[in-house]
Amino acid sequence: FCLMAVPGKVAAFRLPPLPTVGEIIKLFRLKAQKQLSQNFLLDLRLTDKIVRQAGELKNAHVCEVGPGPGGITRSILSAGVEQLLLIEKDARFIPGLEMLSEAAPGKVRIVHGDILTYKMDKAFPQHLKKNWEDEPPDIHIIGNLPFSVSTPLIIKWLENVSKKDGPFVYGRTQMTLTFQKEVAERLTANPGGEQRSRLSIMSQHLCTVENCFVIPGQAFVPKPEVDVAVVHFTPLVQPKIQQPFKLVEKVVRSVFQFRRKYCFRGIETLFPESGRLKRTEQLMMMANVDPTLRPFQLSMSQFRNLCNTYRKMCDEDPSLFVYNYREELKQKKRMRKLLKSTGQPKQTEEESQL
């Protein structure tokens, strides 16, 4: 590799001439696997654009998730990063990534592993740590995520943000990730918006979430049936709902359980059948939430009130938090089967909806 010296400027890193990403795919006979929802992005102008959304990467430490044949990897290296950690689950891509590593000596570390289980809290040097209240550390996570892993992975990382562990043990680490366009719209949807969902609340109460731009499906190989959006996350100094992640997730999941019905219908599922109506009314009154609003109409402050009030109720009755509405439905169904020996009893409306 060569360092191009420019008078009066810091030398910029340049990759030496390499086979194109398309040539790498042919050379190693790489084929996107449908069951892993893999789609390759070969246009380096688009990979450069994704990397620019991450911000200033000069001398930064970056983790790329699922680099595949290495299109985004080249753009990250060309941005002049200090260190690049590549986490790739599919062993077929490792030889092509090793070729990139050899072209950028000392800059690339390749891990053959699963990002869902990889321990990110030891991925970067300790001296990069910043206090949570400070500016974000010089650490970035970037990835063109397979559709099958994108939602569970962002939920996992949002829980890490809440607990300040995993990749966020270093501070408010920023993330620049791809999602199906529809998922990106959910992540960034405002109250009243058609796409407002559980993902909207869970992400926006913990992070500033920006839908950067859309990449048309035909830019990928093979072409997916949907367009793809690039989303940038910066963890907030203070979460908008200051309750444990699991409690917030339980309340938000319950509210959106019956998305098209009034919000009280989903909130009812937080409580056992005995005393359900009374406790639902109590929660909604104390939280000052109109029970006839639809779930997607609720504001962040209304979700905060619901979570804070539910927390008080759980503190008074600890059995509430471990109560599981679906489990109660299953038990009722088993009981009916035992009581009725003739044929399958008809499902209730709530069972069929769930």
Side-chain angles (χ1 to χ4, degrees), residues 70-300:
I72 294 177
T73 313
R74 295 177 187 226
S75 296
I76 295 171
L77 287 169
S78 297
V81 298
E82 179 73 20
Q83 286 286 321
L84 174 56
L85 168 64
L86 303 175
I87 302 176
E88 178 53 66
K89 185 179 181 180
D90 193 332
R92 298 174 305 142
F93 296 119
I94 303 297
L97 296 174
E98 285 172 344
M99 186 183 287
L100 276 175
S101 178
E102 288 162 12
K107 282 188 176 286
V108 180
R109 182 158 57 99
I110 301 168
V111 172
H112 177 211
D114 187 344
I115 188 62
L116 286 168
T117 55
Y118 183 73
K119 302 291 184 193
M120 291 284 282
D121 54 348
K122 294 183 172 63
F124 304 103
Q126 294 300 303
H127 73 265
L128 296 172
K129 278 190 177 181
K130 292 260 189 99
N131 291 324
W132 195 259
E133 298 75 23
D134 295 342
E135 287 299 303
D138 220 0
I139 296 171
H140 297 261
I141 298 171
I142 299 175
N144 174 29
L145 303 178
F147 296 156
S148 60
V149 79
S150 60
T151 301
L153 184 56
I154 195 59
I155 289 291
K156 177 181 187 291
W157 276 339
L158 289 170
E159 184 166 9
N160 290 145
V161 171
S162 176
K163 295 177 177 176
K164 300 177 186 173
D165 62 10
F168 307 97
V169 78
Y170 302 92
R172 295 184 296 121
T173 301
Q174 297 177 80
M175 302 182 284
T176 308
L177 307 167
T178 62
F179 296 88
Q180 288 184 54
K181 184 185 172 195
E182 186 182 313
V183 175
E185 288 170 350
R186 286 184 206 149
L187 285 162
T188 56
N190 293 318
E194 187 62 27
Q195 296 287 3
R196 187 76 162 174
S197 67
R198 174 179 71 111
L199 271 181
S200 317
I201 310 302
M202 297 312 295
S203 57
Q204 292 171 34
H205 104 85
L206 290 163
C207 298
T208 300
V209 191
E210 181 189 358
N211 194 337
C212 303
F213 65 95
V214 174
I215 305 173
Q218 61 258 33
F220 293 85
V221 179
K223 176 182 174 293
E225 294 176 4
V226 294
D227 293 336
V228 172
V230 177
V231 182
H232 184 76
F233 300 81
T234 306
L236 295 165
V237 173
Q238 288 287 349
K240 291 178 180 172
I241 304 172
Q242 296 194 31
Q243 294 294 347
F245 184 87
K246 293 294 184 191
L247 183 141
V248 178
E249 188 178 37
K250 184 179 182 185
V251 171
V252 173
R253 189 189 291 275
S254 296
V255 170
F256 281 101
Q257 192 121 240
F258 300 101
R259 180 179 172 77
R260 296 290 166 197
K261 296 190 177 241
Y262 292 142
C263 65
F264 81 85
R265 185 64 194 86
I267 290 167
E268 282 183 329
T269 66
L270 289 168
F271 304 108
E273 192 172 26
S274 58
R276 177 173 289 158
L277 189 60
K278 184 181 176 185
R279 281 174 146 173
T280 303
E281 287 174 352
Q282 181 189 357
L283 172 57
M284 304 214 69
M285 194 180 299
M286 289 171 66
N288 193 27
V289 173
D290 180 351
T292 63
L293 288 173
R294 311 284 177 183
F296 56 87
Q297 293 176 308
L298 296 183
S299 67
M300 188 65 76

